Amino acid sequence: DEDPFGEAGLPCGICSSETRMQTHFGAPCRHSACKQCWDTWMAAHSTCMICGNTVDGIHRFTKRLAPDISTNEASPIDTANNDLEAALAGLVEALVGIKTIATDVGVRLGECEDHLMSSEMRVMPVEARS
């Protein structure tokens, strides 16, 4: 039940998966990884993949330390990524709208300048008005 390294339930540091949690540990060293990493490693080795000490067995942390995560349920990281993607999509859409408005304003200013510079509507420079 103990987790001396404080890693139980964190994303697996061996496979670097954001959805596989460190749920199992080697005895007696108590280094942790996800079940898939331990199963793959122990199929070919009898030592800990982290410290190299002999492993007598692989055990699961209690569910209090490393709760089960349903594969059908999005992980907190996936949920945060989805929220971030949605927010960024909204930001991009807003920026495109702003660019469209700014472009339209630029066109209108050009039309105003052309009109003011026409032969009938000359604008007198400020210095010449005195």
Side-chain angles (χ1 to χ4, degrees):
D1 188 34
E2 284 185 38
D3 179 19
F5 302 109
E7 297 173 342
L10 296 176
C12 182
I14 303 300
C15 64
S16 299
S17 173
E18 294 180 349
T19 58
R20 291 187 190 167
M21 303 297 130
Q22 297 182 108
T23 55
H24 291 69
F25 62 90
C29 67
R30 301 193 70 82
H31 284 116
S32 60
C34 68
K35 181 172 180 0
Q36 293 86 346
C37 284
W38 273 118
D39 289 346
T40 301
W41 180 262
M42 294 307 291
H45 304 85
S46 61
T47 58
C48 173
M49 63 185 103
I50 297 169
C51 68
N53 290 326
T54 300
V55 172
D56 299 328
I58 303 303
H59 304 282
R60 193 193 188 300
F61 286 111
T62 63
K63 294 190 191 280
R64 179 182 62 77
L65 290 176
D68 283 331
I69 295 180
S70 168
T71 55
N72 295 334
E73 212 174 290
S75 74
I77 292 170
D78 290 337
T79 301
N81 282 340
N82 290 340
D83 291 347
L84 182 58
E85 285 178 13
L88 287 174
L91 179 61
V92 168
E93 185 177 331
L95 289 172
V96 167
I98 290 169
K99 180 181 181 243
T100 302
I101 291 169
T103 301
D104 188 48
V105 167
V107 168
R108 300 283 183 224
L109 286 173
E111 291 171 356
C112 289
E113 181 182 24
D114 290 345
H115 179 70
L116 290 173
M117 296 311 244
S118 69
S119 59
E120 294 177 12
M121 297 290 296
R122 296 267 178 210
V123 175
M124 190 182 311
V126 173
E127 315 76 58
R129 293 183 192 168
S130 326

